[in-house]
Amino acid sequence: MDEIIIHGTSHPIHFGLRAIHEFTRQRGVDFASTVSSAEALSTLDSIVALTATGLNEGARRAGDDRRYTEDEVWDLFDEDPTLILTISDLFVASISPLTDRLGEMARTDTVSQGPNRPRPTAGRRRP
């Protein structure tokens, strides 16, 4: 979990799987494109939604009842636009290890079983 400074006060922020899932659900986008591209950071609307989700998840994990709305995040960005860059960097740093691990798992699975590996079918268990 990371922290950001807002008005001189530290606030927890977290971009784990739960936060990414919540963001993708709210925005109606898929998980793969969110973590494997810059889609989550491509518009201000996305960055605001992602920030609210990350701040809410950080607060939840820290045991804080505080919840942030997108309107509050817009106000925070109006007051300190550099927060946009800080949040973007934190998000990329948070998801990079995840995408690296998922990519390694996909490569390992494909290499070990080959592109023509048997596919599970109804009534047949995979060895």
Side-chain angles (χ1 to χ4, degrees), residues 41-88:
L41 303 174
S42 64
T43 67
L44 284 175
D45 283 337
S46 291
I47 296 171
V48 167
L50 186 67
T51 302
T53 303
L55 286 168
N56 288 334
E57 183 62 9
R60 182 193 70 80
R61 288 177 55 115
D64 187 350
D65 291 336
R66 172 83 163 102
R67 293 299 176 261
Y68 299 81
T69 66
E70 289 185 20
D71 285 339
E72 290 173 308
V73 172
W74 278 110
D75 292 343
L76 293 173
F77 286 170
D78 279 341
E79 294 169 17
D80 185 1
T82 62
L83 281 174
I84 295 170
L85 300 174
T86 302
I87 299 297
S88 298

Side-chain angles (χ1 to χ4, degrees), residues 9-23:
T9 304
S10 179
H11 295 263
I13 188 166
H14 185 68
F15 296 113
L17 286 175
R18 186 173 193 274
I20 295 169
H21 168 72
E22 181 64 22
F23 171 77

